[in-house]
Amino acid sequence: MADEARRGEEDERGPGAAYNMFVVMEDLLDKLKLLDYEAEVLGKHNMKALSRHYFASSPYMPSNPGEQYFMFTILASWLINQAGRPFEQPQEYDDPNATVSNILSELRAFGGQVDFPPSRLKAGSGEHVCYVLDRLAEEALKKKGFAWKKPKYPTEELEEESLVEDDAELTLSKVEEDMTEEPDDNEEENLIDLEALKARTSQNEANGSSKPDEILESNTDVAEWNLEVERVLPQLKVTVRADNKDWRIHVDQMHQHKDGIESSLKEAKGYLNKLQEDISKTLEKVTSREKYINKQLEHLVQDYRSAHAKLSQSREHYQQGSGGVTERTRVLSEISEDLEKVKQEMEERGSSMSDGAPLVKIKQSLTKLKQEVVQMDIRIGVVEHTILQAQLKEKSNMTRDMHATSIPEPAVGTY
């Protein structure tokens, strides 16, 4: 089912998206090697190096979503730290949604575009995983000051055809030098023959034709000619240097490989035919045994099917019963909470009724009130006494003033 879903997703995106995903994964692997991820990440976790298409999702490639998601989170946290931002390494029991959201928030902080849901990253593979890791790897390389340089293409130089003089080629001057170096009894005769040969060659070149006008007759002794041939024979051997670029050599190699393949095919074909026969016989035996076992266990299969049907019915009843039990358990928990509240209130009221502390407080308050009343009575008496003294003093002053006004005026004498 997962493979069919992946194929459907690739069909919706088209072949270009899958190709782009593989290309991005290869570029990501090169960038991780530049950052030395094998020593920094894989060495600490004792993990193997990543393959060329590790995070690329395809129905034709083996996948392990749990391992790929773990490797994705480790690489993402390491690249974010390499890019200069602190980021804690995710643990095994962390919430995947929170981890993915934190990684995407860091990617947005670097200026990356996030136009896909975070659930695409929880699979641990796909084009979005490759995009996020590739973007973080670029930021890490920028932090380290790494910059890509323009490629320098080699200039192709045309090979100039040069005529190489063969070492084994026998020239007239070489023969003359050898003959002058080696002592011989017939040295004068050899020199005469050489002079005659030179004269003939010069005459032929002047005439422009190597065809003689007359029939040449040799007057050389056969024994001497054989001796001369034996002496010069080692120098007349021509060695042809093998050139790997020659098409004839490639053709010979092709024929050799073809003969080797045919000989190997004949030997392997016999083994393969024998293996095919053994496999076909084994398959026939397995098929016959399977039919026999099916016939023998047919009643057991029917019993199993009936038991499986009863089990499915029992599961349905159990689910229905478990739903009622859950509802009753919830009601029971609510009633228990109300009962606890009532018990707490009763305990508080009972403790307040049996406790004598309020009475003691009331008695103390009454005693304090009585003392305050006594003090107020004393103060009232003092104030009344003060007011009485003031009234008496005022009264005495009034009587004195009245006596002073009633004194007769002195008689005025006449002058």
Side-chain angles (χ1 to χ4, degrees):
M1 295 296 291
D3 294 342
E4 292 178 359
R6 286 185 180 179
R7 290 175 185 174
E9 185 178 354
E10 287 188 0
D11 293 338
E12 292 178 0
R13 293 179 298 174
Y19 174 75
N20 188 18
M21 175 176 56
F22 285 100
V23 173
V24 172
M25 180 60 207
E26 291 181 358
D27 293 341
L28 171 63
L29 190 60
D30 293 337
K31 294 173 184 177
L32 291 176
K33 288 181 180 179
L34 291 173
L35 293 169
D36 195 12
Y37 83 105
E38 295 179 353
E40 295 290 336
V41 179
L42 302 182
K44 293 181 180 179
H45 297 277
N46 295 324
M47 301 183 72
K48 296 181 180 179
L50 301 180
S51 61
R52 292 175 57 199
H53 305 141
Y54 183 78
F55 290 111
S57 63
S58 175
Y60 307 104
M61 294 174 58
S63 62
N64 188 354
E67 180 184 351
Q68 289 174 336
Y69 172 75
F70 178 68
M71 180 60 70
F72 163 68
T73 55
I74 289 176
L75 286 176
S77 61
W78 178 69
L79 289 173
I80 291 170
N81 289 320
Q82 291 292 320
R85 294 181 66 88
F87 191 85
E88 294 183 0
Q89 181 178 344
Q91 301 299 324
E92 183 178 0
Y93 299 102
D94 290 347
D95 187 11
N97 295 320
T99 303
V100 170
S101 299
N102 294 332
I103 293 172
L104 291 179
S105 61
E106 294 293 336
L107 181 62
R108 292 189 187 95
F110 286 123
Q113 295 181 357
V114 181
D115 54 354
F116 53 88
S119 60
R120 294 292 182 89
L121 300 180
K122 291 193 291 184
S125 61
E127 57 179 338
H128 302 95
V129 173
C130 296
Y131 164 72
V132 171
L133 291 177
D134 184 69
R135 190 72 175 79
L136 294 175
E138 288 181 359
E139 295 296 332
L141 290 174
K142 288 181 182 178
K143 181 67 176 177
K144 290 184 175 294
F146 180 82
W148 299 99
K149 297 180 180 179
K150 293 183 179 180
K152 295 181 179 179
Y153 300 101
T155 57
E156 297 182 357
E157 296 180 357
L158 298 175
E159 297 181 358
E160 297 180 357
E161 297 181 357
S162 58
L163 298 175
V164 181
E165 184 178 359
D166 194 354
D167 296 337
E169 186 179 2
L170 181 63
T171 57
L172 185 61
S173 60
K174 184 69 175 177
V175 174
E176 185 178 0
E177 290 176 359
D178 292 340
M179 292 179 67
T180 53
E181 289 177 359
E182 295 180 1
D184 194 358
D185 296 337
N186 299 324
E187 184 175 359
E188 293 180 358
E189 295 179 1
N190 292 331
L191 291 174
I192 293 170
D193 293 337
L194 286 173
E195 290 178 358
L197 182 59
K198 286 180 180 181
R200 289 175 184 174
T201 53
S202 60
Q203 185 178 1
N204 291 332
E205 289 177 357
N207 295 330
S209 176
S210 59
K211 186 177 180 180
D213 297 334
E214 298 177 356
I215 298 175
L216 297 178
E217 293 180 0
S218 177
N219 55 1
T220 308
D221 189 4
V222 177
E224 292 180 357
W225 181 260
N226 290 331
L227 290 174
E228 184 66 21
V229 169
E230 290 179 359
R231 187 180 67 82
V232 182
L233 185 62
Q235 299 180 5
L236 294 177
K237 290 181 179 179
V238 178
T239 57
V240 180
R241 295 180 180 179
D243 189 6
N244 293 328
K245 296 181 181 179
D246 190 4
W247 63 272
R248 296 179 183 84
I249 296 176
H250 291 295
V251 171
D252 294 338
Q253 290 178 354
M254 289 170 62
H255 288 299
Q256 292 176 2
H257 293 317
K258 183 181 178 182
D259 296 336
I261 290 171
E262 289 179 353
S263 61
S264 300
L265 181 61
K266 289 179 181 178
E267 184 178 358
K269 193 173 183 181
Y271 292 115
L272 291 175
N273 292 330
K274 186 178 180 181
L275 181 62
Q276 183 182 3
E277 293 176 358
D278 295 339
I279 291 172
S280 61
K281 291 179 181 178
T282 306
L283 287 175
E284 290 177 358
K285 290 181 180 179
V286 170
T287 305
S288 61
R289 293 290 178 85
E290 185 178 358
K291 291 180 180 178
Y292 175 75
I293 291 171
N294 289 332
K295 289 181 180 179
Q296 293 293 327
L297 301 178
E298 186 175 0
H299 64 284
L300 296 176
V301 173
Q302 292 179 357
D303 295 339
Y304 172 75
R305 289 175 180 173
S306 62
H308 190 271
K310 291 180 181 179
L311 178 61
S312 61
Q313 293 177 0
S314 301
R315 283 180 179 175
E316 291 179 358
H317 293 305
Y318 172 74
Q319 289 177 358
Q320 293 176 0
S322 63
V325 171
T326 305
E327 182 66 24
R328 289 176 176 80
T329 304
R330 185 182 62 80
V331 174
L332 178 62
S333 62
E334 292 178 357
I335 295 172
S336 300
E337 290 178 358
D338 296 337
L339 181 62
E340 289 293 333
K341 290 180 181 179
V342 172
K343 285 182 179 180
Q344 187 176 1
E345 291 178 358
M346 291 178 66
E347 288 179 357
E348 290 179 356
R349 290 181 182 180
S351 61
S352 62
M353 291 174 66
S354 61
D355 191 6
L359 294 175
V360 174
K361 290 181 180 180
I362 292 170
K363 290 180 180 180
Q364 292 177 355
S365 300
L366 289 174
T367 306
K368 190 175 181 180
L369 284 173
K370 288 180 180 180
Q371 292 177 358
E372 290 179 355
V373 168
V374 172
Q375 290 178 0
M376 289 297 292
D377 291 338
I378 294 171
R379 289 180 181 178
I380 290 169
V382 172
V383 171
E384 288 178 353
H385 178 71
T386 305
I387 292 171
L388 181 61
Q389 290 291 330
Q391 288 177 357
L392 292 174
K393 188 175 180 179
E394 185 178 359
K395 189 176 182 180
S396 62
N397 290 331
M398 289 176 65
T399 54
R400 187 180 60 192
D401 292 338
M402 290 175 63
H403 287 296
T405 53
S406 63
I407 297 174
E409 292 181 358
V412 180
T414 57
Y415 296 96

